[in-house]
Amino acid sequence: MDIPAYSPQELEPAVQKRWQEQQSFRAASVPGKEKFYALAMFPYPSGQLHMGHVRNYSIADAIARYQRMRGKDVLQPMGWDAFGLPAENAALKNGLAPAEWTMDNIAHMRGQLQRLGLSYDWSRELATCTPNYYRWEQWLFLKLWEKGLVYQKLSTVNWDPVDQTVLANEQVVDGCGWRSGAPVERREIVQYFLRITAYAEELLEGLDTLNEGWPEQVLTMQRNWIGRSEGAEIHFPLASGEGVIKVFTTRPDTLMGATYLAVAPEHPLALQAAEQNPDLAEFLERCRHGSVSEASIETQEKEGHPLGLFVKHPLTGAELPVWTANFVLMGYGEGAVMSVPAHDQRDFEFARKYKLPIQIVIAAESAPLEAAAMTEAYTGAGTLLHSGDFNGLDSVQAKTRITEAVAERGLGRKTINYRLRDWGISRQRYWGTPIPMIHCEHCGVVPVPEQDLPVVLPTHYQLKDPRSPLLDDPEFLNVPCPRCGAPARRETDTMDTFVESSWYYARFACPDADTMLDERAAQWLPVDQYVGGVEHAVLHLLYARFFNRLLRDVGLLPADAVHDEPFKQLLTQGMVLKDGSKMSKSKGNTVDPQGLIDRYGADTARLFILFAAPPEQHLEWSDAAVEGAHRFLNRIWRLVHEYGAENLLVPAELSDEAKDLRRAVHQCIERVSRNMEGRYHFNVAIAAIMELSNSLMKVGADAPTDLRAVLGEGLRAMVLMLSPFAPHMTEILWEVLGQKSNIIHTPWPSADPEALKSDTLTLVIQVNGKLRERMDFPVAADNKAIEKAVLASPAMQRHLEGKTVRKVIVVPGRLVNLVLG
RNA sequence: GCCGGGAUGGCGGAACUGGUAGACGCGCCGGACUCAAAAUCCGGUGGUGGUGACAUCGUGUCGGUUCGAGUCCGACUCUCGGUACCA
């Protein structure tokens, strides 16, 4: 027999050319056909495709191809998240302009993606660094400014005193700038913020509608991130002079146990107090060093300093000292906390360190507490004591009563606080979307008029240092004020790149629209299946959910329940690891997918990466296992060619052997189909196909006709089920089997319930929970008959000898457990 | 620090809702084909004891619930992701 060699290097490009010529993956809304929008998170064009990309896109493509075979009208687009820090770093290192570097990378990576044979509608490709894309972001920014959803406020950044630039948290290593090595300082600068907190409640409630389609862990992380907490705002009047310090607490029941207040080092009162207090000034100066990241603040040694200032307790009028502490965050709540050392662990440790009083006001359920003997705070609920009028109340009642008491004095109220903070979108960087604002000496901050959009980012600079070249470019900087016409200065800050990735999924529906979105967005949205890394579980996915609502509220998306959430189903894939850790250039443990594709072809690469682990788990890289995937494809290639286009009709009457094989075929269809939806465990689906191929391979060329006919049925099903994973090879094999339809749109096989039926089944017989025997029973046998047969069977006698049968448990279709004593 | 995951043979992993632990693949061992090798095909493969049918231990650690626990509950260890300016 003459079987052509399996040569993916020739076969795959030929099939890809065919797809391109036939525009096989072009999405055009077909009336009456159910739509399916499959989307993988678009890549940052770093230069080379890495294994994480291959995995991400193989998963999404398998889903897209499966849904196409299910008869859906599938949209699967691809684009580039093209603004960002690495382009500037590369520009500094190689002297290439960020735009040039980015565009070169896109061209290279597009070629790599095409070589993988992913079923994208390339006509919708977009890159976020093109004015055509980011102009709409500027447009939206202006709309939100009008609505008051964008505002300016001071916020703290990492400042590199040597490079004279703002540093990303990632660029701060052990408290020092990564390039200069200089200790990082904190600076407060005016930035633009998006009022995401106005949507906190809606974003939280929306999570309940995602229970079906999103992983529980992502929902939990988002809930915790939003961090809704009910409590009270309490005002502590300053002992001398005017004003109050406002604090938020979730434990108003412990108010009578507050022994001091702590404010953030950036708090105005701390700064004011430091003017007359050199010790304090020195402390605040020390607090001004180190990264602003939450992780570094929370893990640092907790330190504080008294302000020499006192407040009055809102209920007792007692004077409490005010401290400043390095762990109090200016950005959370009011930048001040009331401290109840007896009932809060952090306050307890702080109080012990600085010898501040500890006042017990909640009785623990077990032993009575004693301040001097405590080794940790009692943070549970309980009955109030040492609390005047409130003694004897439980924590729940006390929360209400104390909040009411404070409110009656005009010194507080019940309130809801969120951990979520407004989204600071200003970046003091060059390679990003220019913020469309103008600074005028007379008029202040003035928005760029809509007709002047886009504010185009100049791309001709050679970067010499990390400082944004926009700051030194008079052509960019100098503009007349749109309001008064006087010479004014353009805003040089650009937007956080998360802004671009917060709406691209919608733009893909209408990439050529001459508005931000048109009616096609509503047709395609929501995304039916979104696929991407867990690392985006909170930030990107929360911002995109927020943007979806902004788009709705400016009238670009319909205000109905269907469109509230952008991503109906979410699959968070695990990372690709090598030797137990993330593949990265710095660790030198990367495996270049290009080499893999060159050597084995795209089908092998895709099959391996889906077979090696379920999508949501980490994937440990293995060269050896790739060989295995390739060998499997080779076997399939030969198996199908050996059979060819024989195409016999499966007769109604089958021999037992043929019946068994047919059952195996249809069990496989059932198993694979189940794993193509829901959990998307492609590794199990592929294993089932491998098992089937092992059975099919045992059928010889001289086998009886009925068996050969079932073999043909099995091969056709197998090739169809393999096509979402190995689309190039199966396209050819479908023809080898004599099939005329286009495999891309051929219906997915369905399991025949008749074929699945079996006459007998094997039950496991356990004694005291341990496997002892196996016995076959007719499918129809009832529990009583099974129990009787087991106890009477000769094989069981040695287990029963000298024992009493205490209990017999029959699990239908599974096992029998004899409890003997 | 805080929030969320993960841990099963030599390796990647399987085990639907508490019911046969180790499917499938890799690796390894043995065999067939070959002058030989590669490729391919066939068989074996968790540990310990036994010639053997079999027995016994075994899913990160310790404890619990249950006729029965990889799966449920409690405590812990290690590890990974996020932590708001990496994307």
Side-chain angles (χ1 to χ4, degrees), chain A residues 287-354:
Chain A
C287 289
R288 284 187 51 241
H289 289 279
S291 158
V292 299
S293 78
E294 193 200 66
S296 64
I297 291 169
E298 289 286 329
T299 51
Q300 74 190 342
E301 172 81 16
K302 314 240 177 317
E303 288 184 88
H305 201 282
L307 294 188
L309 217 85
F310 295 84
V311 289
K312 284 191 202 135
H313 190 284
L315 297 182
T316 66
E319 290 205 350
L320 305 180
V322 181
W323 282 60
T324 182
N326 61 359
F327 56 82
V328 180
L329 303 171
M330 195 58 215
Y332 182 68
E334 304 286 345
V337 294
M338 74 174 201
S339 295
V340 185
H343 305 294
D344 178 279
Q345 188 56 24
R346 193 165 60 184
D347 295 345
F348 179 83
E349 285 164 23
F350 193 83
R352 274 285 153 84
K353 180 167 178 174
Y354 293 105

Side-chain angles (χ1 to χ4, degrees), chain A residues 693-710:
Chain A
S693 79
N694 288 339
S695 306
L696 297 177
M697 240 176 306
K698 293 197 174 85
V699 180
D702 52 355
T705 322
D706 61 344
L707 208 54
R708 293 291 294 175
V710 174

Side-chain angles (χ1 to χ4, degrees), chain A residues 8-25:
Chain A
Q9 290 78 4
E10 288 163 41
L11 179 156
E12 292 179 351
V15 172
Q16 283 159 11
K17 198 172 161 224
R18 198 193 283 184
W19 291 338
Q20 202 186 345
E21 284 167 2
Q22 297 175 351
Q23 301 205 356
S24 302
F25 309 119

